[in-house]
Short mmCIF file of all heavy atoms in Angstrom, two decimals:
data_model
loop_
_atom_site.label_atom_id
_atom_site.label_comp_id
_atom_site.label_asym_id
_atom_site.label_seq_id
_atom_site.Cartn_x
_atom_site.Cartn_y
_atom_site.Cartn_z
N LEU A 1 -22.94 9.47 0.49
CA LEU A 1 -22.95 8.91 -0.87
C LEU A 1 -22.14 7.62 -0.95
O LEU A 1 -22.51 6.69 -1.67
CB LEU A 1 -22.38 9.94 -1.85
CG LEU A 1 -22.60 9.68 -3.34
CD1 LEU A 1 -24.05 9.93 -3.72
CD2 LEU A 1 -21.68 10.57 -4.17
N LEU A 2 -21.04 7.54 -0.19
CA LEU A 2 -20.13 6.40 -0.27
C LEU A 2 -20.34 5.36 0.81
O LEU A 2 -19.50 4.47 0.98
CB LEU A 2 -18.68 6.90 -0.23
CG LEU A 2 -18.26 7.84 -1.37
CD1 LEU A 2 -16.78 8.18 -1.27
CD2 LEU A 2 -18.55 7.23 -2.73
N LEU A 3 -21.43 5.45 1.56
CA LEU A 3 -21.74 4.39 2.51
C LEU A 3 -21.86 3.07 1.74
O LEU A 3 -22.63 2.96 0.79
CB LEU A 3 -23.07 4.68 3.22
CG LEU A 3 -23.60 3.59 4.15
CD1 LEU A 3 -22.62 3.32 5.29
CD2 LEU A 3 -24.97 4.00 4.71
N PRO A 4 -21.07 2.05 2.11
CA PRO A 4 -21.07 0.79 1.34
C PRO A 4 -22.44 0.16 1.22
O PRO A 4 -23.32 0.35 2.07
CB PRO A 4 -20.12 -0.10 2.16
CG PRO A 4 -19.23 0.85 2.87
CD PRO A 4 -20.08 2.04 3.21
N GLU A 5 -22.61 -0.62 0.17
CA GLU A 5 -23.86 -1.35 -0.07
C GLU A 5 -23.82 -2.69 0.66
O GLU A 5 -22.79 -3.13 1.17
CB GLU A 5 -24.03 -1.59 -1.57
CG GLU A 5 -24.18 -0.32 -2.40
CD GLU A 5 -25.55 0.31 -2.27
OE1 GLU A 5 -26.42 -0.28 -1.60
OE2 GLU A 5 -25.74 1.40 -2.83
N ASN A 6 -24.98 -3.36 0.69
CA ASN A 6 -25.11 -4.74 1.18
C ASN A 6 -24.60 -4.92 2.60
O ASN A 6 -23.91 -5.90 2.91
CB ASN A 6 -24.39 -5.70 0.23
CG ASN A 6 -24.92 -5.63 -1.18
OD1 ASN A 6 -26.13 -5.61 -1.41
ND2 ASN A 6 -24.01 -5.58 -2.15
N LEU A 7 -24.96 -4.00 3.47
CA LEU A 7 -24.49 -4.08 4.85
C LEU A 7 -25.16 -5.21 5.63
O LEU A 7 -24.64 -5.63 6.66
CB LEU A 7 -24.75 -2.74 5.55
CG LEU A 7 -23.92 -1.56 5.04
CD1 LEU A 7 -24.40 -0.27 5.68
CD2 LEU A 7 -22.44 -1.77 5.31
N LEU A 8 -26.30 -5.70 5.14
CA LEU A 8 -27.01 -6.76 5.85
C LEU A 8 -26.58 -8.16 5.42
O LEU A 8 -27.03 -9.16 5.99
CB LEU A 8 -28.53 -6.62 5.63
CG LEU A 8 -29.17 -5.37 6.24
CD1 LEU A 8 -30.64 -5.29 5.85
CD2 LEU A 8 -29.04 -5.38 7.76
N ARG A 9 -25.70 -8.25 4.43
CA ARG A 9 -25.29 -9.56 3.94
C ARG A 9 -24.32 -10.23 4.90
O ARG A 9 -23.63 -9.58 5.69
CB ARG A 9 -24.63 -9.43 2.57
CG ARG A 9 -23.28 -8.73 2.61
CD ARG A 9 -22.62 -8.68 1.24
NE ARG A 9 -21.37 -7.92 1.31
CZ ARG A 9 -20.20 -8.42 1.68
NH1 ARG A 9 -20.12 -9.71 2.01
NH2 ARG A 9 -19.12 -7.68 1.72
N GLU A 10 -24.26 -11.54 4.81
CA GLU A 10 -23.26 -12.28 5.58
C GLU A 10 -21.87 -11.93 5.05
O GLU A 10 -21.64 -11.90 3.85
CB GLU A 10 -23.49 -13.79 5.43
CG GLU A 10 -22.54 -14.64 6.25
CD GLU A 10 -22.81 -16.12 6.12
OE1 GLU A 10 -23.86 -16.48 5.52
OE2 GLU A 10 -22.00 -16.92 6.60
N GLY A 11 -20.97 -11.63 5.95
CA GLY A 11 -19.62 -11.26 5.54
C GLY A 11 -19.42 -9.77 5.37
O GLY A 11 -18.31 -9.33 5.03
N SER A 12 -20.45 -8.96 5.62
CA SER A 12 -20.29 -7.51 5.52
C SER A 12 -19.42 -7.02 6.68
O SER A 12 -19.19 -7.73 7.66
CB SER A 12 -21.65 -6.80 5.56
OG SER A 12 -22.18 -6.83 6.88
N VAL A 13 -18.97 -5.79 6.59
CA VAL A 13 -18.10 -5.25 7.63
C VAL A 13 -18.82 -5.17 8.97
O VAL A 13 -18.19 -5.30 10.03
CB VAL A 13 -17.56 -3.86 7.19
CG1 VAL A 13 -18.66 -2.81 7.21
CG2 VAL A 13 -16.38 -3.44 8.05
N ILE A 14 -20.13 -5.01 8.95
CA ILE A 14 -20.90 -4.98 10.20
C ILE A 14 -21.12 -6.39 10.73
O ILE A 14 -20.92 -6.67 11.92
CB ILE A 14 -22.25 -4.27 9.98
CG1 ILE A 14 -22.02 -2.78 9.71
CG2 ILE A 14 -23.15 -4.44 11.20
CD1 ILE A 14 -23.28 -2.01 9.39
N GLU A 15 -21.51 -7.32 9.85
CA GLU A 15 -21.76 -8.70 10.28
C GLU A 15 -20.51 -9.32 10.89
O GLU A 15 -20.57 -9.99 11.92
CB GLU A 15 -22.24 -9.53 9.09
CG GLU A 15 -22.75 -10.92 9.46
CD GLU A 15 -21.66 -11.99 9.44
OE1 GLU A 15 -20.59 -11.74 8.85
OE2 GLU A 15 -21.89 -13.09 9.99
N ARG A 16 -19.34 -9.06 10.31
CA ARG A 16 -18.12 -9.64 10.83
C ARG A 16 -17.70 -8.99 12.14
O ARG A 16 -17.12 -9.64 13.01
CB ARG A 16 -17.00 -9.54 9.80
CG ARG A 16 -17.25 -10.42 8.58
CD ARG A 16 -16.02 -10.59 7.72
NE ARG A 16 -14.98 -11.36 8.39
CZ ARG A 16 -13.84 -11.75 7.82
NH1 ARG A 16 -13.61 -11.43 6.55
NH2 ARG A 16 -12.95 -12.43 8.48
N MET A 17 -17.99 -7.72 12.32
CA MET A 17 -17.71 -7.07 13.60
C MET A 17 -18.52 -7.73 14.71
O MET A 17 -18.01 -7.98 15.81
CB MET A 17 -18.04 -5.59 13.52
CG MET A 17 -17.82 -4.84 14.83
SD MET A 17 -17.95 -3.04 14.68
CE MET A 17 -19.63 -2.86 14.12
N VAL A 18 -19.78 -8.04 14.41
CA VAL A 18 -20.66 -8.66 15.40
C VAL A 18 -20.24 -10.09 15.72
O VAL A 18 -20.24 -10.51 16.88
CB VAL A 18 -22.12 -8.63 14.90
CG1 VAL A 18 -23.01 -9.49 15.78
CG2 VAL A 18 -22.64 -7.20 14.85
N THR A 19 -19.85 -10.85 14.68
CA THR A 19 -19.57 -12.26 14.87
C THR A 19 -18.12 -12.56 15.28
O THR A 19 -17.87 -13.54 15.99
CB THR A 19 -19.89 -13.06 13.59
OG1 THR A 19 -19.15 -12.51 12.48
CG2 THR A 19 -21.38 -12.99 13.28
N LEU A 20 -17.17 -11.73 14.87
CA LEU A 20 -15.77 -12.02 15.17
C LEU A 20 -15.35 -11.54 16.56
O LEU A 20 -14.50 -12.17 17.20
CB LEU A 20 -14.85 -11.36 14.13
CG LEU A 20 -14.76 -12.03 12.76
CD1 LEU A 20 -13.82 -11.24 11.84
CD2 LEU A 20 -14.25 -13.46 12.87
N ILE A 21 -15.93 -10.43 17.02
CA ILE A 21 -15.54 -9.89 18.31
C ILE A 21 -16.64 -10.20 19.33
O ILE A 21 -17.77 -9.73 19.18
CB ILE A 21 -15.32 -8.36 18.23
CG1 ILE A 21 -14.28 -8.04 17.15
CG2 ILE A 21 -14.88 -7.82 19.58
CD1 ILE A 21 -14.07 -6.55 16.91
N PRO A 22 -16.33 -10.97 20.36
CA PRO A 22 -17.35 -11.33 21.36
C PRO A 22 -18.00 -10.10 21.98
O PRO A 22 -17.32 -9.10 22.23
CB PRO A 22 -16.54 -12.12 22.41
CG PRO A 22 -15.34 -12.62 21.68
CD PRO A 22 -15.00 -11.56 20.68
N GLU A 23 -19.29 -10.19 22.22
CA GLU A 23 -20.01 -9.04 22.76
C GLU A 23 -19.45 -8.61 24.11
O GLU A 23 -19.40 -7.41 24.42
CB GLU A 23 -21.51 -9.35 22.88
CG GLU A 23 -22.31 -8.18 23.40
CD GLU A 23 -23.79 -8.26 23.08
OE1 GLU A 23 -24.13 -8.66 21.95
OE2 GLU A 23 -24.60 -7.91 23.96
N GLU A 24 -19.00 -9.57 24.92
CA GLU A 24 -18.48 -9.21 26.24
C GLU A 24 -17.23 -8.33 26.15
O GLU A 24 -16.90 -7.61 27.09
CB GLU A 24 -18.17 -10.46 27.07
CG GLU A 24 -17.23 -11.45 26.43
CD GLU A 24 -17.97 -12.55 25.67
OE1 GLU A 24 -19.10 -12.32 25.22
OE2 GLU A 24 -17.38 -13.65 25.54
N ASP A 25 -16.53 -8.38 25.01
CA ASP A 25 -15.36 -7.53 24.86
C ASP A 25 -15.73 -6.06 24.71
O ASP A 25 -14.88 -5.18 24.86
CB ASP A 25 -14.54 -7.96 23.63
CG ASP A 25 -13.72 -9.22 23.89
OD1 ASP A 25 -13.77 -9.74 25.04
OD2 ASP A 25 -13.03 -9.69 22.97
N TRP A 26 -17.00 -5.79 24.40
CA TRP A 26 -17.47 -4.41 24.26
C TRP A 26 -18.09 -3.90 25.56
O TRP A 26 -18.28 -2.69 25.71
CB TRP A 26 -18.54 -4.32 23.17
CG TRP A 26 -18.09 -4.68 21.79
CD1 TRP A 26 -18.10 -5.91 21.22
CD2 TRP A 26 -17.58 -3.79 20.79
NE1 TRP A 26 -17.63 -5.85 19.93
CE2 TRP A 26 -17.31 -4.55 19.64
CE3 TRP A 26 -17.34 -2.41 20.75
CZ2 TRP A 26 -16.80 -3.99 18.46
CZ3 TRP A 26 -16.84 -1.85 19.59
CH2 TRP A 26 -16.57 -2.64 18.46
N THR A 27 -18.43 -4.79 26.47
CA THR A 27 -19.17 -4.42 27.67
C THR A 27 -18.28 -3.68 28.66
O THR A 27 -17.37 -4.27 29.25
CB THR A 27 -19.79 -5.66 28.34
OG1 THR A 27 -20.55 -6.39 27.38
CG2 THR A 27 -20.69 -5.26 29.49
N ASN A 28 -18.55 -2.40 28.84
CA ASN A 28 -17.77 -1.56 29.76
C ASN A 28 -16.27 -1.68 29.51
O ASN A 28 -15.46 -1.64 30.43
CB ASN A 28 -18.08 -1.94 31.22
CG ASN A 28 -19.52 -1.66 31.58
OD1 ASN A 28 -20.08 -0.64 31.18
ND2 ASN A 28 -20.14 -2.57 32.31
N GLN A 29 -15.89 -1.85 28.24
CA GLN A 29 -14.49 -1.99 27.87
C GLN A 29 -14.15 -0.91 26.84
O GLN A 29 -13.98 -1.19 25.66
CB GLN A 29 -14.23 -3.38 27.26
CG GLN A 29 -14.37 -4.52 28.24
CD GLN A 29 -13.05 -4.83 28.94
OE1 GLN A 29 -12.13 -4.03 28.90
NE2 GLN A 29 -12.97 -5.98 29.56
N VAL A 30 -14.06 0.33 27.30
CA VAL A 30 -13.81 1.43 26.37
C VAL A 30 -12.45 1.28 25.69
O VAL A 30 -12.21 1.82 24.61
CB VAL A 30 -13.91 2.79 27.09
CG1 VAL A 30 -12.72 3.01 28.01
CG2 VAL A 30 -14.05 3.93 26.10
N GLN A 31 -11.55 0.47 26.29
CA GLN A 31 -10.24 0.24 25.67
C GLN A 31 -10.35 -0.38 24.29
O GLN A 31 -9.46 -0.20 23.46
CB GLN A 31 -9.40 -0.69 26.54
CG GLN A 31 -8.95 -0.10 27.86
CD GLN A 31 -8.03 -1.07 28.58
OE1 GLN A 31 -6.87 -1.22 28.22
NE2 GLN A 31 -8.56 -1.73 29.60
N ILE A 32 -11.43 -1.11 24.05
CA ILE A 32 -11.57 -1.79 22.76
C ILE A 32 -11.55 -0.79 21.60
O ILE A 32 -11.04 -1.10 20.51
CB ILE A 32 -12.85 -2.65 22.71
CG1 ILE A 32 -12.81 -3.59 21.49
CG2 ILE A 32 -14.10 -1.80 22.71
CD1 ILE A 32 -13.95 -4.59 21.46
N ILE A 33 -12.07 0.41 21.83
CA ILE A 33 -12.06 1.43 20.78
C ILE A 33 -10.62 1.78 20.41
O ILE A 33 -10.27 1.87 19.22
CB ILE A 33 -12.81 2.69 21.24
CG1 ILE A 33 -14.26 2.35 21.65
CG2 ILE A 33 -12.79 3.75 20.15
CD1 ILE A 33 -15.13 1.88 20.52
N GLY A 34 -9.78 1.96 21.41
CA GLY A 34 -8.38 2.29 21.14
C GLY A 34 -7.65 1.19 20.40
O GLY A 34 -6.89 1.45 19.47
N TRP A 35 -7.88 -0.06 20.81
CA TRP A 35 -7.22 -1.17 20.12
C TRP A 35 -7.70 -1.30 18.69
O TRP A 35 -6.91 -1.58 17.77
CB TRP A 35 -7.46 -2.48 20.87
CG TRP A 35 -6.68 -2.59 22.15
CD1 TRP A 35 -7.18 -2.72 23.42
CD2 TRP A 35 -5.25 -2.58 22.28
NE1 TRP A 35 -6.15 -2.77 24.32
CE2 TRP A 35 -4.95 -2.69 23.66
CE3 TRP A 35 -4.19 -2.47 21.38
CZ2 TRP A 35 -3.65 -2.71 24.15
CZ3 TRP A 35 -2.88 -2.48 21.86
CH2 TRP A 35 -2.63 -2.61 23.23
N LEU A 36 -8.98 -1.10 18.46
CA LEU A 36 -9.51 -1.16 17.10
C LEU A 36 -8.86 -0.10 16.22
O LEU A 36 -8.46 -0.39 15.08
CB LEU A 36 -11.03 -0.97 17.11
CG LEU A 36 -11.86 -2.20 17.49
CD1 LEU A 36 -13.28 -1.79 17.89
CD2 LEU A 36 -11.90 -3.19 16.34
N TYR A 37 -8.73 1.12 16.72
CA TYR A 37 -8.11 2.19 15.93
C TYR A 37 -6.65 1.87 15.63
O TYR A 37 -6.17 2.08 14.52
CB TYR A 37 -8.19 3.52 16.68
CG TYR A 37 -9.59 4.10 16.79
CD1 TYR A 37 -9.86 5.18 17.62
CD2 TYR A 37 -10.65 3.57 16.06
CE1 TYR A 37 -11.14 5.72 17.73
CE2 TYR A 37 -11.92 4.10 16.16
CZ TYR A 37 -12.16 5.17 16.99
OH TYR A 37 -13.43 5.70 17.10
N GLN A 38 -5.93 1.37 16.65
CA GLN A 38 -4.51 1.09 16.44
C GLN A 38 -4.32 -0.03 15.42
O GLN A 38 -3.48 0.09 14.52
CB GLN A 38 -3.83 0.70 17.75
CG GLN A 38 -2.37 0.33 17.56
CD GLN A 38 -1.53 0.54 18.80
OE1 GLN A 38 -1.73 1.50 19.52
NE2 GLN A 38 -0.61 -0.36 19.05
N TYR A 39 -5.10 -1.09 15.53
CA TYR A 39 -4.96 -2.20 14.58
C TYR A 39 -5.44 -1.81 13.20
O TYR A 39 -4.90 -2.28 12.19
CB TYR A 39 -5.72 -3.43 15.09
CG TYR A 39 -5.09 -4.08 16.30
CD1 TYR A 39 -5.88 -4.53 17.36
CD2 TYR A 39 -3.72 -4.24 16.40
CE1 TYR A 39 -5.31 -5.13 18.48
CE2 TYR A 39 -3.14 -4.83 17.51
CZ TYR A 39 -3.94 -5.28 18.55
OH TYR A 39 -3.37 -5.86 19.65
N TYR A 40 -6.45 -0.96 13.13
CA TYR A 40 -6.94 -0.49 11.83
C TYR A 40 -5.82 0.22 11.08
O TYR A 40 -5.67 0.06 9.87
CB TYR A 40 -8.13 0.45 12.05
CG TYR A 40 -8.76 0.99 10.78
CD1 TYR A 40 -9.87 0.36 10.23
CD2 TYR A 40 -8.26 2.12 10.14
CE1 TYR A 40 -10.47 0.85 9.07
CE2 TYR A 40 -8.84 2.60 8.98
CZ TYR A 40 -9.95 1.97 8.45
OH TYR A 40 -10.52 2.46 7.30
#
């Protein structure tokens, strides 16, 4: 019910995840999950 609206818009939490964090940082880098949780 509380899934945010407008996820496809520029500046959404998904769009910024894709554009702010380089894709290569996700490639075989499971550590990124830990850093994301800690910074969150």
Side-chain angles (χ1 to χ4, degrees):
L1 194 73
L2 299 184
L3 174 61
E5 297 284 355
N6 302 315
L7 293 173
L8 294 175
R9 68 177 176 85
E10 183 178 351
S12 74
V13 70
I14 292 176
E15 189 270 344
R16 292 194 68 174
M17 178 170 61
V18 169
T19 56
L20 284 179
I21 304 176
E23 182 160 319
E24 55 267 26
D25 284 359
W26 298 89
T27 307
N28 296 320
Q29 293 270 16
V30 72
Q31 291 185 75
I32 193 173
I33 303 294
W35 287 119
L36 281 162
Y37 290 169
Q38 177 154 322
Y39 290 138
Y40 182 95

